[in-house]
Amino acid sequence: MEDKVSNDPVVAIVGVTGAVGAEFIATMDKRGFRVSKLKALASARSAGKTVSFRGQNIVIEELTERSFDGVDIALFSAGSGISKKFAPVAVKAGAVVVDNSSAFRMDPNVPLVIPEVNGNRIRDHKGIIANPNCAAITALVPLWPIHRKNRIKRVIISTYQAASGAGAAAMDELVESTRANLNGQVYTPKVMPHPYAFNLFSHNTAIDPETGYNDEETKVIKETRKIFEDEKIAIGVTCVRVPVLRAHCEAITFECEKPITEDQVRAIMAQAPGVKMVDDRVKNHFPMPIDASGQDDVLVGRIRKDLSDASGHSISMFVAADQLLKGAALNAVQIAELLPQRVMA
């Protein structure tokens, strides 16, 4: 990469060695995101190692309070604790932060953005823009265009969430525990609270003792209301971790204010940005993690009447999306692409 030139930002990636950090680099490269300089930031134990970007080896630097001098855009994916500590530092240094953690999502002064849904909110930022929860993104990309035409009153979601949502270590544990299981060996979980191979369990976040909902479920509820700017939408959600590497799936049933048909939903989905229809009843081919992995779009299928609602106001469908891409890195890079270009000295 050449030295900094006009209009091409200096980009820092915080958490570059993680699963999402690697996807930040791959996604910027794939989409031709213009960068005058890339700063790779991680913990002290990774400093001195290198990552590859556009034919160059970028030396990883330790994340410090001086890391953001001269940085224009900082992509964060290193956990909420790191974000809370260093995002304000980056903003003070003049950077715009796109944060993939939960640290700022519900802050009323921080836009929570899915570009296909509320990209216009980017202009409201005061230095930090939050990337929504991956399960919320997967549901809301297809639900939003329906909501715009026929307001959704109520939605019930059951998730089938991949290992990647818990990071690279969880993905490794799934592979290693599966191999051990197949070899007849005992494997003691180190990352997940329960055996992962050939198993599934309630999402591995803390349960609220009052409501019985875990943190992931609460995030989906609160973030949906914020993104849709609709505090009255009724949401029920059950989040489950399944032994899949990197693509989340969700069974969604939604109820609209006015009657809605399968054909109307299919017509809306056919025009929806960021959506790909996979809805072949004859071949029994619907959204699957194996197909969603590596794809930018949210796959949508199994579109059918909710037979429990005789009023004709409800539809059920099944969706799948790559958690590391649209659920994280891709959404963040799309946000960065929409930031106003700044003339740089």
Side-chain angles (χ1 to χ4, degrees):
M1 283 176 294
E2 69 277 9
D3 290 334
K4 183 176 177 180
V5 294
S6 177
N7 289 335
D8 287 349
V10 173
V11 176
I13 296 177
V14 179
V16 72
T17 57
V20 175
E23 291 297 337
F24 279 146
I25 291 176
T27 300
M28 287 194 298
D29 196 30
K30 178 182 176 182
R31 295 175 70 85
F33 187 86
R34 293 179 63 89
V35 175
S36 66
K37 180 182 178 182
L38 180 69
K39 295 190 73 172
L41 304 173
S43 64
R45 66 178 178 273
S46 296
K49 298 177 182 178
T50 61
V51 293
S52 178
F53 181 62
R54 294 179 180 163
Q56 290 195 8
N57 287 326
I58 309 297
V59 177
I60 298 173
E61 303 172 31
E62 179 184 358
L63 175 63
T64 71
E65 296 197 352
R66 294 299 305 275
S67 294
F68 302 100
D69 293 350
V71 170
D72 300 297
I73 299 171
L75 303 176
F76 275 66
S77 190
S80 59
I82 294 295
S83 293
K84 288 175 182 177
K85 180 177 179 181
F86 286 99
V89 174
V91 172
K92 189 175 181 181
V96 176
V97 170
V98 182
D99 182 43
N100 195 52
S101 81
S102 61
F104 304 102
R105 288 177 186 157
M106 297 313 299
D107 185 326
N109 294 313
V110 175
L112 183 63
V113 174
I114 303 172
E116 294 90 342
V117 177
N118 62 341
N120 61 311
R121 286 296 175 193
I122 289 172
R123 65 172 181 256
D124 300 331
H125 81 80
K126 296 177 175 62
I128 299 174
I129 302 166
N131 219 32
N133 170 272
C134 48
I137 293 173
T138 300
L140 300 189
V141 168
L143 287 177
W144 174 248
I146 297 165
H147 186 68
R148 287 185 66 193
K149 291 182 178 293
N150 186 350
R151 180 181 173 269
I152 295 173
K153 295 167 50 181
R154 182 171 182 257
V155 60
I156 303 294
I157 302 171
S158 295
T159 74
Y160 308 73
Q161 293 183 231
S164 56
M171 297 173 75
D172 291 342
E173 179 155 298
L174 175 57
V175 172
E176 292 168 7
S177 62
T178 302
R179 183 179 294 117
N181 190 289
L182 290 172
N183 289 332
Q185 300 167 344
V186 175
Y187 185 92
T188 302
K190 305 176 187 65
V191 179
M192 291 300 190
H194 306 289
Y196 206 179
F198 305 103
N199 192 30
L200 53 83
F201 43 86
S202 179
H203 193 278
N204 52 297
T205 45
I207 301 284
D208 184 326
E210 294 295 321
T211 66
Y213 282 73
N214 62 44
D215 284 348
E216 188 82 351
E217 293 159 351
T218 302
K219 288 175 188 176
V220 172
I221 293 168
K222 290 182 176 180
E223 292 179 30
T224 297
R225 289 173 176 158
K226 180 173 179 177
I227 293 166
F228 276 20
E229 299 181 32
D230 186 348
E231 287 298 317
K232 293 183 178 179
I233 188 169
I235 307 164
V237 58
T238 301
C239 291
V240 174
R241 190 72 77 184
V242 299
V244 169
L245 278 175
R246 60 177 289 165
H248 287 356
C249 293
E250 300 181 8
I252 302 172
T253 297
F254 59 89
E255 179 186 358
C256 294
E257 284 190 337
K258 298 177 290 186
I260 189 165
T261 68
E262 297 172 18
D263 287 343
Q264 287 173 331
V265 173
R266 288 194 184 92
I268 293 169
M269 290 297 95
Q271 301 297 320
V275 167
K276 180 180 178 182
M277 289 275 288
V278 181
D279 198 32
D280 191 334
R281 292 181 178 179
V282 174
K283 295 181 179 179
N284 195 14
H285 188 187
F286 303 109
M288 295 183 287
I290 198 168
D291 291 337
S293 295
Q295 285 211 27
D296 289 351
D297 291 334
V298 178
L299 308 185
V300 179
R302 292 228 66 201
I303 298 168
R304 62 207 191 279
K305 295 178 182 177
D306 171 18
L307 298 181
S308 72
D309 180 5
S311 73
H313 287 236
S314 301
I315 294 287
S316 295
M317 61 186 187
F318 196 78
V319 304
D322 189 309
Q323 186 275 330
L324 293 175
L325 289 176
K326 188 54 189 171
L330 172 61
N331 199 76
V333 172
Q334 287 176 308
I335 290 170
E337 289 171 344
L338 293 175
L339 289 170
Q341 287 188 326
R342 293 186 286 172
V343 178
M344 302 167 190

